[in-house]
Each structure stands twice: as C-alpha cells, then as structure tokens.
Amino acid sequence: MTNKPKRNDRHILVCNDDGIFAPGIRALAEVAAEFGKVSIIAPDTQQSAVGHAITVHYPLRVTDFEINDKLSGQAVSGTPADCVKLAHDQLLKQKPDIVLSGINHGSNAGINLLYSGTVSAATEGTILGYPSIAVSCTEFSESADLSGCQEAARRVLRYIIENGLPSGITLNVNAPAGPLKSLSWTRQARSRYVDEFEGRVDPSNRPYFWTTGTLEVLEEGDDLDLNVLKKGRGSVTPIQYDLTANDFFRKINGKIDLE
Ligand code: MN
C-alpha cells in the first residue's frame, strides 16, 4: 500500500505510448498536476502496440522537450516500458509516488491490453513497486474531447491516493470522448481479432498486408470492459502481470508426475 505524501511532496510520473507530442499526455499531465509535482518522461516517437517491449540492442537517448509554456518533459528514444524503467533507475532524482500512462488515443480493453504500450508503461510502474494507472480514450482522433477521460483519471487517482493499491495490481481505465456518464469496475473481456489483415498488391505486383481486424467478444457479461465501453460508459479494470494459470496449477501440481 502507498504511504500518503502531502500534495506538495507527491511526485507523479506521466508516460504514454503515442509519444511525448501527443495531446493525450498533456491532458493527463494536467490532471496529475492537481495532485502533485509532475515529471513527463515519454517516447520520442509513436510507440502504440509495442506491448511490453524493451530496447536491448540500441542505446537510449534522452532529449529535453517543451510541451507548452507550463509543461516540459524528457523524450526517450525507446518504448513505453523503457521510459518508466529509465525514469526510475536514472532520470528521476525523486522517485515517483504514482505512475500514470496515457491518455491513449484509442481504447485499451479486452485482448488489446496485451498489445498495448500504454498499459505496459503502467504495468512497468507496478513491477517497480509504484501504484500505477493506464488511461485510454475510446476515440482515436487526436482532437477528441478528453474531458471525460480526465475526469475518470482524476477519480481513480483520488481513489489510489486514499486507498493505495495492493502490490502487483495495475488499474486500467478507459472512457469515451466527451463528458463522463459513469465509471464502474469491470473485468477484461475475453476477446480476439477476426479478419485481421487486408491484403493488397504493390506496383511491382508483390502482395503486402495491413493489420486491420475487428474485436470479437468471446463471453457475455455486463461487467466486461468492452461491453461497458460499448454503452458509452467509463471502465476501470484491476489487472495483473503475473501470468501463472493458478487454477490449472492447483489442479495439476503434485498430481501429474513430470519425472
Ligand atoms: Mn497509443
């Protein structure tokens, strides 16, 4: 659980996967600034759908970046997970109390959590021991109204400042563009992509493919993230990076001999 530093001592690290130039990170940093001192450390390029990748074959370069007259940060030539790791290990003099990632332009629900760089930045924060939140807007447009997502982030931030988070748990927040209608606790929907690629032919007659696809929900429930978002409402899913299949482990451990 978190200790509760006062507003003036509280330090919040803000990262994303759309890059430090994206409007969404500005919107999230503005909310973070209501709660404490903000450090923005984010990728210098668009890193959506890189998942939890880290950079091991190239050096990481860091550049100071002016976002506007109130906000500045550091741009890193790496992935979202690189940014949080580097911030923790090298760049921040004062360790953060909370790690935020987003606001992503595009939702991160269902199976998308696995592909998401936004969620991975927050998960990396959790791995390093910080209460961490990922925030995404269901709309891709960079001109989307993020006020409802900001309000969702504000409520969840307030919640973890008051209550902390058990270690190993990250909160994944999604909300539609526009004003926030409601915000509820959800489960990650079992889902998968169908019709994943569109094939075309280049001028030299060679085939090439674009990733497209639509999400198919594989279970039913009013408390699933994708279903709540479909109704135009906001969603908060507690997630964990421990991938052990615990039910199956309990079933086979000591019963199936592998010797
Ligand atoms: Mn993104």
Side-chain angles (χ1 to χ4, degrees):
M1 305 296 270
T2 44
N3 50 352
K4 287 190 200 168
K6 293 201 177 67
R7 192 208 170 281
N8 288 343
D9 311 327
R10 193 178 295 123
H11 184 201
I12 302 174
L13 170 63
V14 181
C15 185
N16 75 346
D17 78 355
D18 294 326
I20 199 162
F21 48 81
I25 199 167
R26 231 172 292 159
L28 190 56
E30 283 167 11
V31 175
E34 298 167 15
F35 294 87
K37 193 181 89 178
V38 178
S39 293
I40 299 171
I41 297 177
D44 64 2
T45 56
Q46 168 58 256
Q47 294 284 317
S48 290
V50 301
H52 212 111
I54 54 169
T55 303
V56 289
H57 292 295
Y58 303 95
L60 295 169
R61 306 273 178 195
V62 181
T63 317
D64 289 344
F65 191 93
E66 295 290 322
I67 293 173
N68 57 33
D69 51 357
K70 285 195 192 120
L71 295 172
S72 61
Q74 288 175 294
V76 175
S77 64
T79 67
D82 285 331
C83 290
V84 175
K85 283 158 66 73
L86 194 63
H88 160 83
D89 196 68
Q90 297 285 331
L91 302 180
L92 295 178
K93 283 191 198 97
Q94 180 195 349
K95 298 291 183 206
D97 299 291
I98 296 168
V99 176
L100 300 181
S101 178
I103 298 171
N104 189 57
H105 297 282
S107 81
N108 279 307
I111 196 62
N112 279 331
L113 268 70
L114 239 66
Y115 306 124
S116 168
T118 304
V119 171
S120 289
T123 309
E124 187 60 46
T126 305
I127 292 168
L128 295 171
Y130 307 118
S132 302
I133 309 170
V135 186
S136 304
C137 178
T138 55
E139 208 168 294
F140 278 103
S141 165
E142 294 213 339
S143 58
D145 171 4
L146 298 177
S147 61
C149 299
Q150 285 180 300
E151 175 56 19
R154 189 177 289 120
R155 288 188 202 175
V156 175
L157 248 175
R158 212 176 280 143
Y159 168 79
I160 67 164
I161 287 166
E162 286 303 311
N163 302 283
L165 265 184
S167 103
I169 302 218
T170 309
L171 295 182
N172 182 46
V173 179
N174 282 275
L180 184 67
K181 277 196 220 161
S182 71
L183 188 63
S184 58
W185 294 103
T186 58
R187 295 183 295 128
Q188 179 188 5
R190 272 202 297 125
S191 54
R192 68 181 167 202
Y193 276 96
V194 288
D195 301 327
E196 285 195 83
F197 297 97
E198 188 175 317
R200 297 189 185 175
V201 178
D202 76 9
S204 312
N205 246 355
R206 290 173 304 203
Y208 68 97
F209 302 90
W210 280 104
T211 302
T212 57
T214 48
L215 261 185
E216 179 184 43
V217 183
L218 299 168
E219 58 177 333
E220 286 177 15
D222 292 337
D223 59 353
L224 299 177
D225 53 2
L226 285 168
N227 290 346
V228 165
L229 293 170
K230 234 180 258 170
K231 290 183 179 151
R233 300 179 182 281
S235 151
V236 187
T237 313
I239 59 170
Q240 59 192 7
Y241 54 81
D242 176 358
L243 299 178
T244 308
N246 281 302
D247 288 349
F248 188 67
F249 174 77
R250 279 189 287 270
K251 208 160 132 188
I252 53 162
N253 188 34
K255 293 172 189 120
I256 307 287
D257 194 1
L258 296 175
E259 287 301 319

